[in-house]
Amino acid sequence: MASEKGGAPEAPFGLLGHPLGHSWSPTIHAKLGSTPYELYDLPHDEAELFLREGTWRGVNVTIPHKPLAAQVADACSPAVKRLGVANTLVRSGDGRIFAENTDVLGFAWMLERFCEKNLGESPRAALGGRKVLVLGSGGASRSVTDVLANEADARPITISRQGTETYETLADRHADAVLLVNTTPVGMFPHCPDSPVSKGVLASLTQLRGVLDVIYNPERTGLCLAAEKLAIPVESGLAMLVAQAFYASEIFQQTRLDEDLIGQIERDIRLQTQNVVLIGMPGAGKSSCGRALSRLMGRPFVDIDCTIETEEGRPAAQIIREDGEAAFREIETRVTGAYGARSGIVIACGGGVVTRAENYDLLHQNGIIVFLDRSIDELCTNGRPISQSRGVEEVARERMGLYESWADLRLACTGSAAGDAREILAKISSRDA
């Protein structure tokens, strides 16, 4: 058998699925010690042959092969027997295959931490006997529902497009739900920030104490963003991804690992994937600081205004003069959305990006937003038609409150782009420590 990397021999560990895009599993398992770890992108018939006759020692399994993983196993955990799907297989020395569902274990870990951190109680105390809404009816839904029913003693209600419990009846019939968990792919990159339910529907669920989303890319899905606006505690699926890999690695290596690794790896991946977004007044130095920061962090750099100029064939100032500011803002939002959905880049925004409220979600979904604050009397207005026509003071009065409300971090400019970049990197690193 060969891996998706083109004829290489099988690694002892890996991930099986179809189709497979980018996966954090190799990175996570490298930190856990279950290596070498490869990706195996195989259709059903090849997947079955791989599972039955391959030389692997341990393999994680994702869509669409989880039912197959349970079927080929010689022995199964109680969770696999209940659910009929497995995402972790390990082969013993005599060739027998054991199947586990570490999605169940991963979600249980995520749920326990979420409840203790945000609700001040264990899952059983917070959710026991209470209604929990689970969006979606696929394999992830079964794992989540199993944990809610058996570990938290909750009353999970599965919401799907068909059947008796649908999205259309959600608001009318389930206003008393205390937790909502999304297990659908709605809102996953690149279709972000879509959401399976609207902010209005969330607001109608007046007893909600939390929202969980098993999607981990983007960091904050449309559902998470809506919950944040309603001040509902929220978490997306990175913790579940790392936790399920942690328990799979323990099975692969037949050893106990330090559970603190879950949080450490989660923080490492978040720091690696999080965009750094620079906002501030026109002329504050966002572009020069962004270029310096990208070099320090070893990341791609995107200047939104320069990208617009490349795509449109005209600089921002010319578009504003010829087509008007409203037309430019439409283009700016489109480009901001395209790059805000990406991960692990440094983004310098135009000074007016904060004038459209929808741009906040586009930048916040995967980013830490840094307000680069330079004294008004130091701002350059050359080539900036809005600052020239309205005056810097008026533009500042209009935008300064928005910069401050959007920002996760604020930096008073140090006097040099390199100095600003170093200060930002230090603040980000200490914030995630």
Side-chain angles (χ1 to χ4, degrees):
M1 303 292 296
S3 79
E4 69 168 4
K5 294 188 176 181
E10 286 175 22
F13 308 110
L15 174 66
L16 170 68
H18 183 70
L20 285 179
H22 175 269
S23 172
W24 283 106
S25 293
T27 299
I28 295 170
H29 280 272
K31 294 176 181 291
L32 294 169
S34 37
T35 57
Y37 189 102
E38 295 286 352
L39 302 181
Y40 299 101
D41 190 336
L42 302 173
H44 184 275
D45 55 342
E46 294 181 37
E48 183 170 3
L49 181 66
F50 169 79
L51 292 177
R52 293 190 184 278
E53 299 183 9
T55 59
W56 53 268
R57 285 169 46 198
V59 65
N60 294 128
V61 182
T62 188
I63 296 172
H65 302 317
K66 292 182 181 182
L68 174 64
Q71 294 164 15
V72 302
D74 300 296
C76 300
S77 72
V80 173
K81 290 178 181 177
R82 288 194 304 270
L83 302 176
V85 292
N87 77 322
T88 300
L89 299 178
V90 62
R91 179 181 278 117
S92 61
D94 62 5
R96 289 174 59 82
I97 297 174
F98 172 75
E100 179 58 276
N101 191 314
T102 59
D103 283 340
V104 169
L105 303 175
F107 181 73
W109 189 92
M110 175 185 180
L111 181 68
E112 181 173 4
R113 187 183 69 171
F114 178 84
C115 289
E116 291 179 351
K117 176 182 177 182
N118 294 285
L119 308 181
E121 299 177 301
S122 69
R124 189 170 289 267
L127 308 176
R130 295 175 172 87
K131 185 184 294 183
V132 176
L133 302 178
V134 180
L135 308 184
S137 55
S141 173
R142 281 183 273 175
S143 298
V144 166
T145 299
D146 184 80
V147 172
L148 291 168
N150 293 303
E151 301 293 329
D153 194 31
R155 294 191 292 121
I157 306 294
T158 300
I159 307 297
S160 60
R161 290 189 295 268
Q162 298 177 339
T164 57
E165 301 290 354
T166 67
Y167 293 90
E168 287 72 25
T169 63
L170 191 153
D172 294 334
R173 299 176 63 171
H174 302 300
D176 55 341
V178 296
L179 183 72
L180 183 144
V181 185
N182 177 46
T183 70
T184 77
V186 177
M188 183 185 297
F189 177 83
H191 304 293
C192 46
D194 292 350
S195 175
V197 297
S198 67
K199 179 184 173 184
V201 169
L202 274 187
S204 72
L205 305 176
T206 56
Q207 302 303 308
L208 274 188
R209 302 183 67 190
V211 169
L212 299 177
D213 198 326
V214 303
I215 293 172
Y216 59 87
N217 183 15
E219 180 182 351
R220 302 174 186 90
T221 62
L223 178 65
C224 293
L225 294 168
E228 280 187 355
K229 290 183 176 69
L230 296 169
I232 300 171
V234 62
E235 185 171 344
S236 58
L238 182 58
M240 179 178 172
L241 173 73
V242 177
Q244 67 81 22
F246 172 89
Y247 293 114
S249 187
E250 284 193 328
I251 296 170
F252 291 166
Q253 300 183 74
Q254 294 295 291
T255 189
R256 295 297 298 272
L257 299 172
D258 184 352
E259 205 167 80
D260 287 345
L261 283 169
I262 299 175
Q264 293 171 15
I265 295 171
E266 180 188 8
R267 286 190 294 274
D268 288 347
I269 292 177
R270 182 169 286 114
L271 186 60
Q272 186 175 347
T273 59
Q274 196 172 54
N275 297 331
V276 181
V277 180
L278 305 181
I279 61 172
M281 284 286 289
K286 300 181 294 295
S287 296
S288 54
C289 174
R291 282 189 287 270
L293 184 60
S294 73
R295 289 191 294 270
L296 275 180
M297 301 184 77
R299 296 185 177 197
F301 171 63
V302 176
D303 185 307
I304 296 297
D305 280 350
C306 289
T307 301
I308 290 172
E309 180 176 355
T310 299
E311 293 187 3
E312 298 295 317
R314 294 179 292 168
Q318 184 179 351
I319 296 173
I320 292 171
R321 285 195 302 268
E322 294 177 353
D323 301 344
E325 183 180 356
F328 172 76
R329 296 297 172 208
E330 288 290 336
I331 299 169
E332 182 180 52
T333 293
R334 173 178 56 78
V335 174
T336 297
Y339 287 96
R342 291 174 55 181
S343 301
I345 59 178
V346 176
I347 303 173
C349 297
V353 71
V354 295
T355 62
R356 297 191 99 187
E358 60 264 44
N359 292 339
Y360 174 74
D361 283 356
L362 300 178
L363 296 170
H364 180 58
Q365 63 181 329
N366 260 337
I368 178 170
I369 301 177
V370 181
F371 170 30
L372 198 59
D373 189 11
R374 186 179 296 277
S375 174
I376 289 179
D377 57 12
E378 297 177 356
L379 297 175
C380 174
T381 62
N382 291 339
R384 294 179 169 88
I386 294 175
S387 295
Q388 291 173 341
S389 63
R390 297 182 191 172
V392 175
E393 292 79 6
E394 181 182 338
V395 173
R397 280 194 297 272
E398 173 191 339
R399 299 177 182 174
M400 198 61 68
L402 293 171
Y403 294 139
E404 292 175 351
S405 66
W406 282 34
D408 299 299
L409 295 174
R410 176 184 173 276
L411 178 72
C413 293
T414 65
S416 75
D420 292 344
R422 287 193 296 269
E423 285 292 316
I424 291 171
L425 183 56
K427 284 177 177 287
I428 291 172
S429 299
S430 63
R431 184 174 186 262
D432 289 328

